[in-house]
Amino acid sequence: MDSKILVTKATLPDFDEYVQEISELWETHWLTNMGVKHQELSEQLRDFLEVDEIDLLTNGHMALELSIQAMELKGEVITTPFTFASTTHAIVRNGLRPVFCDIKEDDFTIDPEKIERLITDQTSAILPVHVYGNICDTEEIQRIAEKYGLKVIYDAAHAFGVRKQGRGIASFGDVSCFSFHATKVFNTIEGGAACFHDKDFGKCLYQLKNFGIKNEEIVERIGANAKMNEFCAAMGLCNLRHIRDEIAKRKVVTEQYLKYLKDVNGIQINKIAGDIEANYAYFPVLFNEEQFGCTRDEILETLQKHNIYPRKYFYPLTNMFDCYHDLYDTENTPKAFYASKRILTLPLYPDLPLDMVDRICELILKCKK
Ligand SMILES: *Cc1c(COP(=O)(O)O)cnc(C)c1O
């Protein structure tokens, strides 16, 4: 029996490289609380991502949640339901109300043409997602934000290393939050970062990730504990050395998929815009059952029978979650709803064998009627 092919597989450095990186921790006994590895990784990521300021956190979710807290937002936040649970939860857990805006059908990012009509006197921010590493319409979102005095927080969990018009994407908006979870393009086992421009915001975030402590005697804010530890930062230092090679390998896998799937009636593949330097994070495929002759769920079932496990990213939409008790209506986001029922994210990771890609595509194409 073949081993399972999952949607992703965590990237690891050579064992010896990691051991070398962590060995000095046995001398210093400094395991967390912003030690040397944390410092080094911050500096390297600031350069790599081409940002003014960066802070490392324990995961991408806390980067979002604490960034929202640090901004002291009130009322409503306009966002997308076509995302991972974290995006919406980060808003709600800050006592704010998410207002769901529909997405564009070609790249699944928030549709800026639909944002303005959702703005009320309660709106304080826009929280779009660079979904699959597709970059939002940053110009139009910025224009709207400036016109109405709103903050912009990007969920950039999928967009590590992506550049737009020659610029690192984390320079857009007030804050961009990355996830360095094991399943992401760049990982620190668990981890995340917030990138920003405003130094005062940075001071606040830094306190919030360490219980709101200012110094030994003064606790200034009601913070959490979201510090990245030294072992995670060391993993990041190792993985960052190889990131360009890893992204290049993802590109080769992506191109192999495209050979089979790019011109098939009933299959919509993810197009990378001309001004984007991509990271090839995911390979989402949208199946139109009328043209393709079978549904997404039937294709998923076929692949699973052959030990291949793609994922329905993103189904269900976050505005359909049980925990939100029918508070929101998916009819307000029809394009997101349409995509969530038809999208399948195929396995993609740097060392996925190309003959496995061949096999996956052949199985999919055999379903076509
Ligand atoms: C992974 C992810 C997050 C959360 O990041 P964690 O590091 O797992 O906390 C947030 N938003 C999106 C879109 C993600 O894919």
Side-chain angles (χ1 to χ4, degrees), residues 239-356:
N239 281 335
L240 194 58
R241 281 182 204 121
H242 308 288
I243 189 73
R244 291 190 200 281
D245 287 347
E246 297 293 299
I247 290 176
K249 287 196 218 160
R250 288 176 172 276
K251 183 177 184 193
V252 172
V253 176
T254 301
E255 283 169 353
Q256 189 74 359
Y257 271 124
L258 288 173
K259 274 190 208 160
Y260 288 89
L261 302 179
K262 75 170 187 292
D263 292 318
V264 180
N265 189 28
I267 291 186
Q268 180 190 325
I269 49 118
N270 191 42
K271 282 218 180 64
I272 295 166
D275 59 354
I276 295 295
E277 218 175 284
N279 67 358
Y280 308 96
Y282 298 93
F283 197 85
V285 177
L286 191 140
F287 293 98
N288 179 315
E289 66 282 359
E290 269 137 47
Q291 291 160 10
F292 195 74
C294 84
T295 66
R296 182 268 311 267
D297 290 353
E298 286 164 351
I299 294 157
L300 177 60
E301 211 177 291
T302 302
L303 291 171
Q304 284 176 346
K305 271 189 206 141
H306 291 83
N307 247 347
I308 297 159
Y309 292 83
R311 292 291 297 271
K312 295 192 256 181
Y313 290 148
F314 289 100
Y315 175 88
L317 298 177
T318 66
N319 57 10
M320 296 165 71
F321 283 176
D322 286 13
C323 59
Y324 292 126
H325 308 290
D326 294 327
L327 221 56
Y328 311 109
D329 197 344
T330 53
E331 280 173 25
N332 296 332
T333 54
K335 286 186 175 156
F337 190 54
Y338 179 93
S340 76
K341 286 190 294 186
R342 291 170 180 80
I343 201 99
L344 196 60
T345 299
L346 301 180
L348 171 55
Y349 44 89
D351 61 359
L352 180 66
L354 295 185
D355 59 3
M356 182 50 71

Side-chain angles (χ1 to χ4, degrees), residues 67-126:
S67 291
I68 295 171
Q69 187 182 348
M71 282 183 164
E72 299 177 356
L73 302 177
K74 300 248 171 345
E76 298 173 356
V77 176
I78 296 175
T79 189
T80 164
F82 194 74
T83 184
F84 184 55
S86 173
T87 321
T88 304
H89 288 352
I91 297 169
V92 176
R93 287 170 57 84
N94 270 289
L96 302 164
R97 226 177 80 78
V99 173
F100 294 101
C101 181
D102 209 359
I103 58 171
K104 292 186 282 169
E105 56 206 346
D106 57 345
D107 69 359
F108 312 102
T109 63
I110 197 165
D111 185 349
E113 282 182 20
K114 301 200 173 117
I115 292 177
E116 278 192 84
R117 72 185 73 147
L118 298 173
I119 294 173
T120 70
D121 59 1
Q122 297 291 302
T123 310
S124 59
I126 310 173

